[in-house]
Amino acid sequence: GNSVTQMEGPVTLSEEAFLTINCTYTATGYPSLFWYVQYPGEGLQLLLKATKADDKGSNKGFEATYRKETTSFHLEKGSVQVSDSAVYFCALSESRKLIFGAGTRLAVHP
Amino acid sequence: EPEVTQTPSHQVTQMGQEVILRCVPISNHLYFYWYRQILGQKVEFLVSFYNNEISEKSEIFDDQFSVERPDGSNFTLKIRSTKLEDSAMYFCASSEAGLSTDTQYFGPGTRLTVL
């Protein structure tokens, strides 16, 4: 079946460092791909999405490009802030449900 | 900005008891979902609901679980006889339609603790 694999965390960075969180997927067909973020004590918030190959989703300085040839949707940000500390989930859509990766915890320190 | 709300934020219950988790989806959305996240594990799909019917459910969603839209605003998840392994964070979500491109908007979750 379809699945999502994310790099294990935690990822610990200094403020203003470059961030990459790897996400690869296995899917039949052409799912939409999503990144959700979960801040401490809160629910899941959509960060960005891409609905077809070569689409780039972007929001709040984060970007991810739907790469069909490598079945990847890596999340990047050029300069992280302490406020970006959260758990990041990669997900794909299958029919009417989302299939999530395990989540990657990001800790940014000043 | 419209948002999905869930009550209660934390529910503690004894094994074997029934619990009802409540959600108010975004008002113009037509599809509703429940997911759960056992501590330290992945977020898992439980069920999707449209037009007062279940449209899809996972293997986890067995006869102990049921969903209902009792009125025009609430969407509930009932667990008939809770087990220890039902302890998890339960998230409600809604989307405008059921397309794979649609964004699902999540509530803040209900933490269920079964003792």
Side-chain angles (χ1 to χ4, degrees):
Chain A
N2 295 351
S3 65
V4 176
T5 303
Q6 283 181 242
M7 64 187 284
E8 286 191 26
V11 174
T12 304
L13 295 173
S14 298
E15 205 164 24
E16 298 183 2
F18 183 84
L19 168 72
T20 300
I21 300 178
N22 290 338
C23 171
T24 57
Y25 67 90
T26 302
T28 53
Y30 304 99
S32 295
L33 301 173
F34 304 81
W35 277 101
Y36 280 83
V37 58
Q38 186 177 31
Y39 297 104
E42 298 185 16
L44 299 165
Q45 300 176 24
L46 177 72
L47 182 59
L48 54 84
K49 72 178 187 181
T51 58
K52 61 184 188 295
D54 299 325
D55 263 4
K56 179 188 282 188
S58 61
N59 186 26
K60 299 181 183 178
F62 291 90
E63 292 183 342
T65 301
Y66 189 161
R67 300 278 187 211
K68 181 164 159 283
E69 63 276 11
T70 54
T71 61
S72 65
F73 193 55
H74 304 320
L75 182 68
E76 296 182 337
K77 186 174 185 183
S79 175
V80 293
Q81 305 301 311
V82 172
S83 57
D84 294 326
S85 298
V87 180
Y88 292 81
F89 293 92
C90 185
L92 65 80
S93 60
E94 176 186 276
S95 181
R96 296 188 183 88
K97 64 178 182 272
L98 293 175
I99 295 174
F100 285 88
T104 303
R105 182 174 299 279
L106 170 66
V108 181
H109 56 83
Chain B
E1 185 178 321
E3 57 183 19
V4 177
T5 59
Q6 290 184 243
T7 53
S9 56
H10 191 186
Q11 174 91 47
V12 181
T13 190
Q14 296 291 326
M15 192 168 55
Q17 296 296 304
E18 174 184 286
V19 294
I20 297 176
L21 310 183
R22 291 184 167 78
C23 168
V24 178
I26 294 173
S27 62
N28 64 332
H29 286 186
L30 300 178
Y31 275 84
F32 315 122
Y33 313 84
W34 284 101
Y35 292 81
R36 80 170 184 191
Q37 184 182 28
I38 295 172
L39 188 64
Q41 297 187 25
K42 290 186 180 185
V43 177
E44 302 172 289
F45 168 79
L46 293 178
V47 66
S48 60
F49 190 86
Y50 168 73
N51 199 25
N52 282 321
E53 288 184 348
I54 290 174
S55 58
E56 190 171 353
K57 61 182 181 180
S58 71
E59 296 170 351
I60 304 166
F61 194 88
D62 61 22
D63 292 344
Q64 293 298 313
F65 291 89
S66 62
V67 288
E68 192 179 29
R69 187 150 164 85
D71 54 43
S73 59
N74 289 284
F75 177 52
T76 62
L77 174 69
K78 182 192 292 185
I79 308 175
R80 190 177 316 132
S81 177
T82 50
K83 308 185 190 71
L84 296 176
E85 55 265 37
D86 293 328
S87 294
M89 182 73 91
Y90 288 81
F91 292 106
C92 174
S94 68
S95 64
E96 286 188 31
L99 302 176
S100 64
T101 54
D102 283 349
T103 297
Q104 294 185 21
Y105 294 86
F106 284 76
T110 293
R111 180 168 298 285
L112 176 65
T113 302
V114 182
L115 302 176

